[in-house]
């Protein structure tokens, strides 16, 4: 029997971290040829992930430009994907999550009448402008896809409510598979400053912020809140690996440069980030991925957004929606820094997003779809 040619398409840092273990799982399976196509919507931040997971793409569209617009990303991906699909002839294309690469990858697969598997399917906020443009990307990919790999039962229910017709599987999130390979008790950082942080004597606050819907006033207020948290709490060290987006770089440096206990550093490699998270006290972020990783590591999270498509850890009590109002962020952070009982109530490890077996279930589901194996069992939190 001929091998199935399964092509994974991704382009940004979070897609790469979450697809890397899947690309490897597929490559290890008998009967599958795993093909890796990157758009390089992110260049440096993608290459860093490829290096950590030792992945060599079969195709690289190399589309990134500084301050790229949504239209540029989508159109360059679409044009580039034509040749990739014609040359590599996949039997199925896998896309991940909700970025512009995800949408363009799925649309291009549809144009070539190649079936689509959507990894991390079924997340919703039901607000089309928040997160922007991700919520719409998810819905558009839902309309195109044939197979849906939902991280949680809740995600599957979202799709069922929309009367989605394709095959659905509850697999857990592949980010937990990735975390299992990166976090080590005896990990030694290559970013030297991270080895020197006073983990025992001070509270390390890990910060990230990059969302497009936060550009402008919300991001100004978030950065201003972060500056005040650092200035008013002498017992914290704030570590912030700043996203390479020029919009974010400018705002972060304007508010936070020159504050003694704030460390603005370059984006971290995924293994460095995961191990720093495992050692920090508290996470403040508008990232999607961090909301999934921190609960697995027992770290409380304040989400710097108005909504979240990841309600599972909020329900479990380890994640709080802080919003983008400066006063609210200050008061929630103050409480977690100064009130041990409030902190302890949030600092327990939970695994609503996966058990580290998501990639095995996804590979099994693909083989089953093509009539070549057993249907995988669902992930239950
Ligand atoms: C993108 C995704 C977002 C995801 C985020 C993860 C879209 C529309 N947005 O947002 O869903 O949460 O990635 O980080 O798909 N840049 C570099 N080098 C890099 C990466 C980015 O210089 O390695 C700079 C470039 O100037 C680029 C800008 O950052 O134009 C913005 O990148 P872009 O992918 O458009 O948006 P993100 O905010 O990263
Ligand atoms: N991450 C990283 N280095 C950093 C910041 C984040 O490796 O400096 C990882 C993080 O651990 C998570 C993923 O990148 O796995 C999240 O990416 P991001 O926040 O950029 O995007 P989102 O998840 O919000 O789409």
């Amino acid at each position: 029997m001929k091998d199935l040619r399964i092509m994974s398409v991704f382009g940004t840092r979070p897609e790469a971290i979450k697809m890397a273990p899947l690309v490897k799982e597929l490559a290890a399976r008998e009967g599958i040829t795993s093909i890796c196509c990157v758009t390089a919507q992110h260049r440096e931040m993608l290459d860093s992930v490829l290096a950590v997971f030792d992945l060599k793409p079969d195709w690289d569209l190399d589309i990134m430009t500084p301050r790229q617009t949504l239209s540029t990303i989508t159109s360059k991906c679409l044009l580039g994907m034509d040749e990739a699909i014609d040359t590599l002839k996949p039997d199925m294309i896998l896309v991940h999550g909700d970025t512009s690469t995800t949408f363009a990858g799925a649309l291009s697969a549809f144009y070539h009448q190649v079936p689509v598997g959507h990894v991390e399917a079924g997340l919703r906020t039901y607000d089309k402008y928040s997160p922007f443009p991700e919520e719409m990307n998810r819905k558009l990919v839902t309309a195109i896809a044939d197979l849906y790999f939902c991280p949680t039962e809740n995600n599957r229910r979202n799709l069922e409510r929309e009367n989605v017709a394709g095959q659905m599987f509850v697999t857990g999130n592949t980010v937990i598979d990735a975390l299992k390979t990166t976090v080590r008790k005896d990990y030694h950082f290559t970013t030297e400053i991270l080895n020197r942080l006073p983990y025992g004597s001070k509270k390390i606050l890990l910060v990230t912020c990059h969302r497009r819907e936060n550009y402008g006033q919300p991001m100004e207020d978030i950065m201003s809140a972060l500056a005040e948290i650092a200035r008013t709490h002498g017992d914290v060290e704030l570590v912030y690996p700043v996203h390479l987006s020029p919009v974010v770089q400018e705002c972060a440096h304007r508010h936070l440069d020159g504050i003694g206990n704030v460390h603005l550093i370059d984006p971290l490699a995924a293994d460095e980030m995961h191990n720093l998270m495992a050692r920090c006290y508290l996470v403040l972020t508008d990232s999607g991925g961090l909301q999934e990783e921190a609960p697995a590591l027992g770290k409380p999270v304040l989400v710097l957004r108005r909504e979240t498509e990841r309600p599972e850890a909020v329900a479990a009590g380890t994640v709080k929606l802080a919003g983008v109002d400066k006063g609210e962020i200050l008061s929630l952070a103050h409480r977690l820094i100064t009130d041990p009982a409030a902190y302890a109530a949030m600092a327990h490890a939970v695994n609503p997003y996966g058990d580290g077996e998501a990639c095995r279930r996804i590979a099994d589901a693909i083989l089953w779809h093509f009539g070549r194996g057993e249907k995988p069992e669902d992930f239950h939190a």
Side-chain angles (χ1 to χ4, degrees):
M1 217 187 301
K2 257 182 62 199
D3 264 19
L4 294 168
R5 297 175 62 76
I6 308 299
M7 180 161 113
S8 302
V9 177
F10 53 90
T12 66
R13 170 173 65 193
E15 295 167 83
I17 292 171
K18 292 168 164 181
M19 288 299 269
L22 180 57
V23 172
K24 292 189 152 184
E25 174 76 24
L26 294 171
R29 289 302 183 97
E30 221 168 280
I32 292 180
T33 296
S34 175
I35 305 165
C36 176
C37 169
V38 298
T39 64
Q41 176 180 333
H42 286 172
R43 185 71 273 171
E44 299 87 345
M45 285 158 54
L46 171 75
D47 290 345
S48 160
V49 181
L50 296 175
V52 167
F53 292 95
D54 195 22
L55 279 188
K56 299 197 179 24
D58 300 289
W59 202 273
D60 191 331
L61 303 186
D62 197 21
I63 66 151
M64 195 194 87
T65 47
R67 291 183 187 263
Q68 59 203 1
T69 66
L70 300 177
S71 306
T72 323
I73 306 170
T74 305
S75 50
K76 281 178 131 182
C77 284
L78 274 178
L79 290 172
M81 286 295 296
D82 274 345
E83 197 190 344
I85 295 177
D86 284 341
T87 309
L88 298 168
K89 299 190 181 358
D91 295 303
M92 174 173 281
I93 286 180
L94 302 180
V95 294
H96 181 280
D98 53 20
T99 71
S100 294
T101 287
T102 316
F103 168 54
L107 185 59
S108 184
F110 170 68
Y111 287 163
H112 291 262
Q113 300 193 17
V114 177
V116 173
H118 188 198
V119 183
E120 199 176 273
L123 280 68
R124 293 288 187 270
T125 62
Y126 302 104
D127 177 345
K128 81 179 191 188
Y129 291 111
S130 189
F132 174 82
E134 291 83 3
E135 177 73 1
M136 187 54 70
N137 286 341
R138 292 172 192 143
K139 292 184 129 170
L140 295 167
V141 175
T142 295
I144 294 170
D146 301 276
L147 267 63
Y148 301 87
F149 305 112
C150 304
T152 70
E153 185 54 47
N154 171 54
N155 301 145
R156 172 161 63 191
R157 277 198 297 274
N158 289 344
L159 295 182
E160 283 171 350
R161 271 197 297 273
E162 294 172 18
N163 296 317
V164 169
Q167 294 167 341
M168 296 175 207
F169 309 85
V170 181
T171 60
N173 197 308
T174 58
V175 80
I176 307 298
D177 300 35
L179 261 190
K180 279 197 165 173
T181 68
T182 50
V183 176
R184 296 271 168 275
K185 275 212 158 53
D186 59 353
Y187 186 85
H188 186 81
F189 292 101
T190 50
T191 313
E192 203 33 60
I193 183 184
L194 302 183
N195 289 318
R196 294 197 309 266
L197 288 172
Y199 297 99
S201 55
K202 284 191 163 190
K203 298 184 170 105
I204 310 297
L205 309 193
L206 175 57
V207 172
T208 77
C209 183
H210 74 275
R211 305 223 75 83
R212 269 184 166 74
E213 72 274 10
N214 278 342
Y215 284 7
Q217 199 55 49
M219 201 170 279
E220 296 291 330
D221 293 345
I222 289 169
M223 299 295 174
S224 169
L226 294 172
E228 197 160 324
I229 291 167
R231 285 200 180 99
T232 52
H233 296 279
D235 60 337
V236 310
E237 296 280 322
L238 198 145
V239 185
Y240 178 1
V242 187
H243 190 292
L244 292 179
S245 160
V247 179
V248 180
Q249 286 275 339
E250 187 280 322
C251 190
H253 283 282
R254 182 160 41 78
H255 284 273
L256 296 163
D257 271 352
I259 305 175
N261 54 346
V262 174
H263 308 271
L264 295 188
I265 58 177
D266 287 340
L268 290 169
D271 49 356
E272 300 269 284
M273 183 62 171
H274 290 170
N275 283 284
L276 176 59
M277 210 183 306
R279 286 159 183 72
C280 79
Y281 178 81
L282 169 67
V283 176
L284 297 105
T285 188
D286 67 359
S287 160
L290 267 76
Q291 290 179 60
E292 296 154 345
E293 294 163 341
L297 298 169
K299 303 301 173 177
V301 180
L302 292 180
V303 178
L304 307 172
R305 293 168 54 176
R306 293 195 183 90
E307 38 52 39
T308 180
E309 58 291 276
R310 293 168 170 90
E312 294 86 350
V314 177
T318 64
V319 170
K320 264 204 177 91
L321 209 51
V324 293
D325 175 72
K326 182 177 171 184
E328 188 65 12
I329 297 169
L330 285 175
S331 106
L332 285 170
H334 177 73
R335 180 125 194 259
L336 287 174
I337 292 165
T338 57
D339 178 347
Y343 181 79
M346 284 183 76
H348 50 90
V350 288
N351 277 317
Y353 298 113
D355 57 1
E357 298 284 324
C359 296
R360 172 185 58 79
R361 292 191 186 95
I362 294 170
D364 283 348
I366 292 170
L367 287 166
W368 174 79
H369 170 81
F370 286 102
R372 299 188 185 186
E374 297 295 310
K375 192 174 181 183
E377 84 293 358
D378 279 348
F379 159 68
H380 295 288

